[in-house]
Amino acid sequence: MKFAPTLNCLLFLIPIFAFSQEPVETKNKGTLSGQWRTYYMNTFNKGNLKDFSALASGGKIKYEFLFHKKWEIGAALYNSTNLEIQDLTVPDETTGKLSRYEEGLFNRLDLKNDALFLLGELYLKYKSPKHEFAIGRMKINTPLINPEDGRMIPTLVQGLWYRYKKTKENTLQLGILNKIAPRSTGHFYDIGESIGTYPEGRSITGENNQYGGNTDSDYVILFNSEIKVTEHLRLDFWNFYVDNISNTTYLKPRMDITQKLNLELEWLHQNKIGNGGNDIDSQRYFSNNTSDILGVKLDYQWMKSKASLAYDRILPHGQFISPREWGREDLFSFQKRERSEGSGDNHALVFHYDTNFNFTKINTQIQSVFSIGRHWKPSVLDPRLNKYAVPDYTQFNLDLFFKFDKLKNLHPELLLVSKIANGDFPNNPNFYFNKTDLFHIDLILNYNF
């Protein structure tokens, strides 16, 4: 793909503008907005293993300028500053490992740098009632490449993006990406370079993976079609083609059984493309020939509440592989602070309960999202099916979102996570440190302006 010079020229042509406390609309239709975010994170590990904590402050400032009614230029500068309540460069003495979650608030490739800045968005956009076209740096939200809000700076991409909206229920999207800025890095990388900036786990032969810095891939092509088939049936289709690595197809039909009850299915299929990233086995990112995930979810909604029960099955013939650097996996069984990626022959059963509470006397609303998940993993001693050596576990999440009538721009969030290891596995702290038998807290203060 040879459009990188055009994109780089565009990035230097779009101006960056200054900070303001409130959105500013000018006669030239320019708007300034942003978010100030303070993020506290704490992980309590088992026994004498090291606990980690971090406090970050920063956010983003964004300017959008609309001209000729349908054309827009936009730019956003992101920042994360380490307030240094703990030195995250000091590892746990027993395992020799650093934090898993806390370092993600900063540039995890350079933890000594306490102030991270990234020009994360810089784009030119054309928008009409049916067509939308963008070129440059931007945020996109897909099942496998997405911002992932559990960090100070999200995953961002560079490329071309087109969206066609035939009707409200029927849309088509097409994207071509040549660079990705993985969350928690602070830099745009070529596609192959962006893979391996997070922990690499084990190869299928049990050795430490070495694909970081050794993966050959130049572009990603994404296609999406969302179709309303009948009055009660919708179909969401995605395809992710990663040059020289893999092709992933994702299909999600949704059926409205009643006004309150919905049934969703999902099928994700992967196959290797080219040499999977490298001709050398130890440096190859995608070693499977294929992998498949099957899932089912029931949703029931009433009043201000919703409950769902979801089951996902990763079949035993291959690991589900998708770069963690690119965002979270939007599967039915996903729970914040853990993944199914890197597993084969995996079962997951997850219950979600989402409800809202109104406290009229103090003019406050709280959205509560509770989930409990049981995850059956292959043996930690089987690298072919368990890339990151994660044992069976049960996970409890409670996510609280606060809204204040008198402070409309302030949106705090409190996330509590407990993960408990299940079953028998060798008494080696590397199998549970930062993975299971832990308690994790996130307290996030978002102020949007």
Side-chain angles (χ1 to χ4, degrees):
M1 306 301 286
K2 301 299 183 183
F3 57 90
T6 302
L7 289 177
N8 291 333
C9 289
L10 173 67
L11 301 184
F12 287 108
L13 289 174
I14 301 177
I16 307 299
F17 295 86
F19 173 87
S20 173
Q21 286 293 325
E22 296 291 339
V24 177
E25 183 120 1
T26 72
K27 61 182 180 180
N28 295 319
K29 299 183 181 179
T31 303
L32 195 59
S33 63
Q35 180 187 74
W36 170 62
R37 163 175 279 196
T38 297
Y39 203 134
Y40 172 76
M41 190 181 288
N42 200 172
T43 301
F44 300 91
N45 279 298
K46 182 178 181 179
N48 294 324
L49 296 174
K50 186 171 183 176
D51 301 331
F52 294 96
S53 60
L55 180 62
S57 190
K60 72 172 182 179
I61 178 170
K62 184 171 184 177
Y63 185 83
E64 299 165 284
F65 184 81
L66 181 67
F67 60 100
H68 293 299
K69 295 183 180 181
K70 295 182 180 180
W71 290 89
E72 176 185 298
I73 56 174
L77 179 67
Y78 291 80
N79 164 253
S80 177
T81 300
N82 188 349
L83 299 183
E84 301 186 29
I85 62 173
Q86 184 182 25
D87 186 352
L88 296 178
T89 65
V90 179
D92 169 63
E93 291 183 358
T94 304
T95 63
K97 295 181 178 180
L98 299 173
S99 69
R100 175 181 176 185
Y101 305 111
E102 286 72 17
E103 66 179 16
L105 294 179
F106 316 109
N107 183 350
R108 59 178 310 278
L109 302 179
D110 183 14
L111 289 174
K112 293 183 179 180
N113 182 0
D114 59 5
L116 172 62
F117 292 89
L118 176 66
L119 182 58
E121 296 178 59
L122 191 58
Y123 59 83
L124 174 67
K125 181 185 292 186
Y126 170 85
K127 189 174 183 179
S128 70
K130 289 190 175 182
H131 301 274
E132 183 175 314
F133 175 83
I135 178 172
R137 295 180 175 182
M138 67 193 86
K139 282 199 298 187
I140 63 172
N141 194 0
T142 80
L144 297 178
I145 304 177
N146 47 67
E148 166 61 294
D149 195 45
R151 301 294 188 273
M152 285 295 291
I153 299 178
T155 295
L156 299 147
V157 303
Q158 178 176 292
L160 309 171
W161 195 262
Y162 170 72
R163 185 171 186 265
Y164 172 63
K165 186 177 180 181
K166 183 178 181 180
T167 64
K168 185 178 180 180
E169 295 83 12
N170 296 278
T171 61
L172 180 149
Q173 297 183 93
L174 177 66
I176 304 174
L177 311 179
N178 76 325
K179 288 183 182 292
I180 292 180
R183 66 201 203 286
S184 315
T185 61
H187 184 72
F188 277 85
Y189 295 89
D190 293 337
I191 299 302
E193 291 178 329
S194 72
I195 300 173
T197 58
Y198 269 54
E200 299 171 80
R202 305 175 295 179
S203 71
I204 59 175
T205 60
E207 304 297 324
N208 289 334
N209 271 318
Q210 302 174 41
Y211 55 76
N214 296 308
T215 300
D216 179 19
S217 183
D218 293 329
Y219 58 90
V220 180
I221 300 176
L222 306 92
F223 175 78
N224 167 240
S225 179
E226 189 170 350
I227 303 170
K228 184 177 181 180
V229 181
T230 68
E231 186 64 27
H232 302 289
L233 178 63
R234 298 182 62 85
L235 188 62
D236 195 11
F237 171 83
W238 285 90
N239 196 81
F240 302 80
Y241 181 90
V242 185
D243 168 52
N244 195 43
I245 294 180
S246 65
N247 190 82
T248 300
T249 300
Y250 180 67
L251 186 64
K252 184 172 73 173
R254 171 190 168 116
M255 178 179 293
D256 298 327
I257 299 174
T258 68
Q259 287 186 338
K260 296 182 178 181
L261 182 64
N262 303 311
L263 171 66
E264 291 184 85
L265 304 174
E266 66 181 355
W267 173 46
L268 185 147
H269 173 75
Q270 297 184 299
N271 57 278
K272 184 166 67 176
I273 299 295
N275 58 24
N278 199 300
D279 285 326
I280 302 172
D281 291 348
S282 61
Q283 299 179 6
R284 181 177 299 126
Y285 175 65
F286 199 94
S287 297
N288 307 292
N289 288 323
T290 64
S291 70
D292 286 275
I293 302 176
L294 300 174
V296 58
K297 182 170 76 169
L298 278 171
D299 272 316
Y300 184 76
Q301 301 182 47
W302 70 100
M303 304 292 286
K304 296 181 179 180
S305 301
K306 180 174 70 172
S308 69
L309 183 64
Y311 170 76
D312 272 323
R313 167 68 167 146
I314 306 177
L315 298 181
H317 57 264
Q319 295 176 0
F320 161 53
I321 296 294
S322 182
R324 297 189 172 201
E325 294 88 345
W326 294 0
R328 73 183 193 183
E329 57 200 38
D330 196 11
L331 298 174
F332 293 159
S333 58
F334 173 79
Q335 290 180 279
K336 288 183 177 180
R337 295 296 176 256
E338 198 45 83
R339 302 297 188 91
S340 296
E341 190 270 329
S343 297
D345 196 13
N346 188 89
H347 301 264
L349 183 66
V350 177
F351 172 78
H352 276 89
Y353 176 64
D354 185 336
T355 192
N356 289 277
F357 302 96
N358 291 319
F359 300 92
T360 55
K361 291 185 178 180
I362 57 175
N363 300 313
T364 301
Q365 301 174 42
I366 301 177
Q367 180 188 4
S368 168
V369 182
F370 171 77
S371 68
I372 177 173
R374 181 67 168 89
H375 301 260
W376 293 269
K377 314 291 287 187
S379 168
V380 296
L381 302 178
D382 184 357
R384 187 181 68 85
L385 295 174
N386 198 335
K387 177 179 177 180
Y388 300 102
V390 178
D392 282 10
Y393 65 94
T394 300
Q395 179 168 340
F396 301 86
N397 281 19
L398 178 62
D399 210 356
L400 302 175
F401 301 88
F402 299 83
K403 292 183 179 179
F404 307 105
D405 291 347
K406 294 183 178 180
L407 296 169
K408 294 185 180 298
N409 291 353
L410 182 63
H411 300 281
E413 178 186 354
L414 175 64
L415 172 66
L416 305 175
V417 177
S418 177
K419 290 194 286 186
I420 302 169
N422 302 123
D424 296 324
F425 56 93
N427 186 22
N428 182 332
N430 288 293
F431 293 140
Y432 51 80
F433 177 66
N434 281 337
K435 299 175 184 176
T436 58
D437 290 339
L438 62 80
F439 182 69
H440 177 84
I441 301 172
D442 285 358
L443 177 59
I444 311 165
L445 299 179
N446 293 320
Y447 184 83
N448 301 324
F449 54 84

